[in-house]
Amino acid sequence: MSNYEKKVDFMANKSRVKLKGKLKTYLTIFTILGVLLIFINIGIFTVNFTAGLVLLAFTALYFVAVVYLNFYNRPIIMNELVSFATQYGQIQKKLLRELDLAHAVLDDTGKVVWSNIAFERIVHQEKGFKKNITALFPSITQDKFPEGYDEVSYEIDYEENNYTLKMKRISLQEMANNSDIIDADGYEGSLIAVYLFDETALKLAIQEVDNQSLAAGLIYLDNYEEALDSVEEVRRSLLTALIDRKINKYIAGCNGIAKKIEKDKYFVVMPKKSCEMLREQRFDLLEDVKTVNIGNEMAVTLSIGIGLNGLSYAQNYEFARNAIDLALGRGGDQAVVKSAENISYYGGKSQQVEKSTRVKARVKAHALREIISGKDSVIVMGHRLGDVDSFGASVGIYRIAKTLDRKCHIVLNDVTTSMQPLVELFKNNPEYEDDMIINNQQAIDIAGNNTVLVVVDVNKPTITECPELLRFCKTIVVLDHHRAGTEVIENATLSYVEPYASSACEMVSEILQYIGENVKIKNEEADSLYSGMIVDTQNFMNKTGVRTFEAAAFLRRNGADVTRVRKLFREDANEYKAKADAVSQAEVYQNRYAISVLINDDIQSPTIIGAQAANELLNIKGVRASFVCTEYQNQVYVSARSIDEVNVQVVMERLGGGGHMSSAGCQMEGMSAAEAVEVVKKTIDQMIEEGEL
């Protein structure tokens, strides 16, 4: 029915129209006043008859006027009201259609039943289209429609713009109550109103503000003293100047400022956007600074720590300090970017240069002596499925504790075949207590406020022999030679992590030399420490420096016997065959990566044999890195090894593990060894594509 027909129909039935509200009051007020005037007129008659007649004449004229207005002007007023309502509805409809805010109405299924011009312009549709909202915005599925009558909001991207989409249900109950064709009993029909708010400009502004927020950074020269010592004295100032120029030019190129705060340290500030650019370039300053050569025998390397996305500049600086500590703890020659959410690593492709000075070892030894002397007992633990290095280092700490007249226990649960000969040296030995080696529960029972926990050969809390001990002991000492990762033991009283060291046994052997003059190492203890060095260096062929041989010489002077140690580590025939089979079945992937699976049949310690097989695969010409997968205890253990061309640590970190640049590993759950091989291959391909390998 047209608006005109509605108007005619209303006029034909105007007598049935009942008014209410202020309009009804306005039209009846004159009649009420007339009745009041009659009562006044009666009162006047009682006072003065002549005055009453005059007022009666006026009252009669008043009632004639009221009757005339009610019967003549009332239809005119109603006509005007109907005309206004009709015009108002048309204006309202036009305003909704032309409103700048994109607006549409959906039915219960999400189909568009009405939309305004702004909405049609955004979705590039013409008036009257009946598409489903999901066809326009795939992320807005039916399960995201509002359940009740509360408004819901979603962030969506459409074409190149960002929008906030809001939806709210509109009940049709009132319409049903006034309808002649719909039974309103139990009716719960509704429509969904949709609004689109263009947030593109706002998000661009927020992003620009975020891009211009400042990131703090620290740059440390890893081997400043060693590099200067390798060049003539008259040319040292030139070497320093060239390094300064490289760093300042690089930072200035990304709109940052570098300020030298010490001879080998720089403080850096730059916009966050520039930091993202450096990430894309993978911090090529790390490689560029190595090209500085004026006759120095040793290439200069540096470490970079960047902190960003903090709540304040001070927090960004704190993030930068944590990042540089991580970079140095992982061996240097790399950049670490730390934010509140995550940590990213870049570089780290070269071996860390061994420090020639033992000052740090002496300082740490004195600190360890003070800590142990202030406690009643000592508990030592290594990593889960301990190896010869972790056990040997634990024995060294045991000797230190006994020298300081403190009770000491070594936490060890599972004894692998490789460790069995060493453990047998101490079990049933009258010179050692029966509780020298204990299990997890015994350690937890012993732990207390007066107990110091020494963690050796591991700095990742989740893979320690007994992670619960970290909560029970307030005083914790960490001695490790693995590169630090994202997950580290926090709140350690003393942390001595040196990635350049060949083994934890080497570090403990150095500490033994400075712990005191009355240290007397027994033959079994010297053999254990020497064994750890032998195994981790592959008979002094891997990660071996001057200090490694000095530590070995110290142990030799204190009773370590090479022949005795060699006899301890002769292999079982089945293990030797399994290792040989893993080597023979290896696949050379991408012509440079040897990947194999160790078959775990009748082998007591397959993970150890897998690591040995990975070492053997490096003897194949052209192989840059090796990976051996071993199924053991419902997990797949991956042993990764390299010589110097590939950083296997970053590969294993991608898979949730870690380790050294040349020796690393990880554990995978919920898959077979064959599936783990495919995961390793996929990771290698991805890292090659990203330029990591």
Side-chain angles (χ1 to χ4, degrees), residues 3 8 24 57 89 103 115 179 274 308 371 486 497 596:
N3 290 321
V8 171
K24 180 181 179 181
H103 176 41
S115 60
S179 173
S274 299
L308 45 81
I371 291 171
T486 304
V497 180
S596 185

Side-chain angles (χ1 to χ4, degrees), residues 330-393:
R330 291 163 57 86
D333 186 31
Q334 57 194 281
V336 178
V337 179
K338 177 176 173 57
S339 64
E341 297 81 21
N342 55 29
I343 301 174
S344 304
Y345 303 96
Y346 303 87
K349 297 182 179 180
S350 64
Q351 295 278 7
Q352 185 178 14
V353 178
E354 181 186 30
K355 303 292 183 182
S356 58
T357 176
R358 288 198 202 171
V359 173
K360 190 172 184 180
R362 176 175 56 80
V363 171
K364 298 294 184 181
H366 288 175
L368 178 62
R369 180 188 179 97
E370 292 297 320
I371 291 171
I372 294 178
S373 298
K375 299 296 179 180
D376 294 337
S377 61
V378 180
I379 296 177
V380 192
M381 71 172 175
H383 50 79
R384 190 167 59 245
L385 290 177
D387 57 13
V388 177
D389 186 33
S390 66
F391 182 74

Side-chain angles (χ1 to χ4, degrees), residues 466-510:
C466 182
E468 293 83 3
L469 275 177
L470 297 171
R471 299 198 308 268
F472 288 106
C473 297
K474 293 184 178 180
T475 306
I476 301 173
V477 176
V478 179
L479 302 175
D480 188 28
H481 67 116
H482 295 100
R483 290 187 173 191
T486 304
E487 184 188 356
V488 295
I489 296 174
E490 298 180 354
N491 303 322
T493 307
L494 175 64
S495 180
Y496 185 21
V497 180
E498 289 294 358
Y500 67 78
S502 68
S503 58
C505 286
E506 176 189 327
M507 297 174 63
V508 174
S509 298
E510 287 187 344

Side-chain angles (χ1 to χ4, degrees), residues 2-47:
S2 66
N3 290 321
Y4 176 75
E5 290 172 333
K6 290 179 181 178
K7 181 177 179 182
V8 171
D9 182 65
F10 179 79
M11 291 299 299
N13 297 280
K14 60 182 181 294
S15 61
R16 289 178 290 170
V17 174
K18 295 181 179 180
L19 300 176
K20 61 181 180 179
K22 293 183 178 180
L23 182 61
K24 180 181 179 181
T25 303
Y26 174 75
L27 292 177
T28 58
I29 189 66
F30 299 106
T31 303
I32 296 171
L33 289 175
V35 173
L36 180 62
L37 191 60
I38 291 173
F39 285 108
I40 294 173
N41 201 173
I42 294 171
I44 294 296
F45 266 116
T46 59
V47 176

Side-chain angles (χ1 to χ4, degrees), residues 188-331:
E188 297 180 356
S190 63
L191 297 175
I192 300 174
V194 176
Y195 306 90
L196 277 180
F197 298 88
D198 193 342
E199 307 281 359
T200 307
L202 176 62
K203 289 197 173 183
L204 285 174
I206 293 173
Q207 184 63 47
E208 186 61 28
V209 171
D210 186 53
N211 288 339
Q212 294 302 319
S213 63
L214 291 183
L218 292 167
I219 299 178
Y220 287 7
L221 300 180
D222 298 327
N223 54 345
Y224 179 78
E225 296 291 348
E226 290 81 356
L228 285 185
D229 290 341
S230 68
V231 73
E232 298 175 11
E233 187 172 353
V234 293
R235 309 185 75 180
R236 290 177 182 175
S237 58
L238 177 59
L239 178 63
T240 304
L242 289 174
I243 295 171
D244 280 349
R245 185 173 180 273
K246 284 271 186 191
I247 294 174
N248 282 289
K249 185 177 179 181
Y250 184 80
I251 300 301
C254 55
N255 298 321
I257 301 172
K259 178 67 176 177
K260 195 170 187 176
I261 54 178
E262 291 184 33
K263 60 183 180 181
D264 57 348
K265 296 179 177 65
Y266 298 81
F267 175 67
V268 174
V269 289
M270 66 180 73
K272 178 183 173 182
K273 186 176 182 180
S274 299
C275 184
E276 297 302 321
M277 180 183 70
L278 297 184
R279 284 183 168 189
E280 293 175 3
Q281 298 171 354
R282 308 203 69 80
F283 289 89
D284 48 9
L285 175 64
L286 296 170
E287 299 300 323
D288 191 27
V289 76
K290 295 176 186 176
T291 62
V292 177
N293 192 327
I294 57 169
N296 45 298
E297 299 174 2
M298 183 180 297
V300 178
T301 65
L302 51 81
S303 297
I304 303 174
I306 303 290
L308 45 81
N309 291 339
L311 299 177
S312 63
Y313 296 144
Q315 190 173 39
N316 280 345
Y317 178 67
E318 189 63 29
F319 285 166
R321 288 185 57 188
N322 294 337
I324 198 69
D325 288 342
L326 275 174
L328 295 173
R330 291 163 57 86

Side-chain angles (χ1 to χ4, degrees), residues 560-573:
D561 188 278
V562 179
T563 304
R564 198 164 55 228
V565 169
R566 183 179 179 183
K567 287 181 179 180
L568 288 173
F569 292 101
R570 285 186 291 187
E571 295 181 69
D572 177 78

Side-chain angles (χ1 to χ4, degrees), residues 508-566:
V508 174
S509 298
E510 287 187 344
I511 290 174
L512 276 165
Q513 299 176 56
Y514 297 106
I515 206 72
E517 296 180 358
N518 57 341
V519 177
K520 294 181 180 180
I521 305 174
K522 297 181 180 180
N523 291 346
E524 295 88 349
E525 297 160 357
D527 285 350
S528 298
L529 287 162
Y530 189 79
S531 298
M533 294 174 60
I534 287 287
V535 170
D536 267 28
T537 60
Q538 300 174 47
N539 293 317
F540 298 104
M541 290 192 299
N542 182 38
K543 280 184 64 63
T544 307
V546 174
R547 289 171 63 174
T548 309
F549 288 109
E550 289 176 349
F554 166 75
L555 294 174
R556 184 70 184 88
R557 288 194 302 270
N558 282 271
D561 188 278
V562 179
T563 304
R564 198 164 55 228
V565 169
R566 183 179 179 183

